[in-house]
Amino acid sequence: MERTMDPVKSRRRYDASHRRAQAARAREAVLAAARSSFVDVGYSTTTVAAIARQAGVSVETIYKSFGGKAALARALYERALAGQGQVAAYERSDAVRLEQTDPRALMRAWGTLTAEVAEQLTPVLLIVRAAAGHDASMATLLRDSDTERLERMRHNARFLAERGYLRDGVTTEHAADVMWTCSSAEIYELLVLRRGWSSEQFATFVAETMAAALLP
């Protein structure tokens, strides 16, 4: 009598997408909790334990994923620097440089991107600036932010010089300094956060200031 054999069940392939999605949600919850806590009670007063409670994760999860409070601040900085779009702001800035042949239109595009990034980044940098006087890691992040932005503006200034867009007598270093100043958190803080300008007004101000200072 033949014995009937049950077909061997194939092993289900492990699907890691659900786990990745969970990890992504947890990461976003942690960053949102960190930003909220830093704004509400200050960087120095905030504890990793408080962030973990607000985010609904363990303290160990935060240390494994980020490495501590200073790393959370840097992660918030890096995310804000990318702006709001699906493509990072600096990538969109490079793309518009290559597409746009009208220097004044280029300034308008850069003004819009500057306003977009500043809306996300300035609150984070204000937190960092407030903590930098008594926290070495925040002082380092503040210096890194200024240095990285200046290098980015030098990159843009060299492009303007290579295209012949700069007014006679305007050096690439001067152009970089102008754009570095226009993209600073201090300017956004004064005009938008303290004087109540709209993002559109700020974008126009940045574009017109750069054009008047740099272009023929």
Side-chain angles (χ1 to χ4, degrees):
M1 183 176 181
E2 293 184 1
R3 192 168 67 182
T4 303
M5 302 291 292
D6 292 330
V8 177
K9 293 183 179 180
S10 60
R11 291 185 178 181
R12 294 178 61 184
R13 180 175 297 175
Y14 176 68
D15 182 5
S17 59
H18 178 66
R19 189 162 188 170
R20 285 196 298 269
Q22 283 184 316
R25 286 193 296 271
R27 178 181 176 84
E28 288 304 307
V30 168
L31 289 175
R35 183 179 177 120
S36 174
S37 295
F38 292 160
V39 169
D40 292 343
V41 303
Y43 176 84
S44 300
T45 307
T46 297
T47 64
V48 173
I51 294 171
R53 283 195 301 272
Q54 188 173 336
V57 302
S58 68
V59 170
E60 183 183 12
T61 294
I62 292 179
Y63 279 107
K64 282 185 176 179
S65 300
F66 294 95
K69 196 165 68 169
L72 282 170
R74 187 171 286 274
L76 285 171
Y77 161 75
E78 290 174 352
R79 187 175 69 168
L81 197 61
Q84 299 174 329
Q86 294 295 319
V87 178
Y90 73 88
E91 293 182 12
R92 284 179 280 146
S93 174
D94 285 347
V96 77
R97 282 189 339 183
L98 298 176
E99 296 166 0
Q100 188 55 256
T101 57
D102 178 352
R104 294 186 183 276
L106 177 59
M107 293 299 174
R108 288 193 294 272
W110 278 350
T112 299
L113 281 171
T114 297
E116 177 193 318
V117 172
E119 183 178 354
Q120 302 297 310
L121 188 60
T122 300
V124 176
L125 287 179
L126 293 181
I127 292 165
V128 173
R129 188 177 71 190
H134 49 79
D135 188 290
S137 60
M138 292 299 94
T140 297
L141 178 54
L142 192 61
R143 286 194 302 271
D144 289 347
S145 170
D146 280 345
T147 299
E148 289 167 6
R149 187 163 50 84
L150 182 56
E151 285 305 308
R152 180 70 188 168
M153 295 309 127
R154 284 172 173 158
H155 178 64
N156 288 339
R158 286 192 293 270
F159 170 83
L160 294 175
E162 289 166 2
R163 285 287 179 92
Y165 291 160
L166 295 178
R167 188 170 64 244
D168 288 347
V170 175
T171 65
T172 55
E173 195 66 14
H174 179 80
D177 286 345
V178 168
M179 291 187 286
W180 183 73
T181 300
C182 286
S183 60
S184 67
E186 288 79 5
I187 296 292
Y188 186 88
E189 179 190 11
L190 287 172
L191 295 178
V192 178
L193 301 184
R194 295 176 64 177
R195 296 301 305 148
W197 283 26
S198 68
S199 180
E200 291 76 16
Q201 285 176 303
F202 181 73
T204 299
F205 168 80
V206 169
E208 290 180 349
T209 299
M210 292 192 302
L214 305 178
L215 303 182

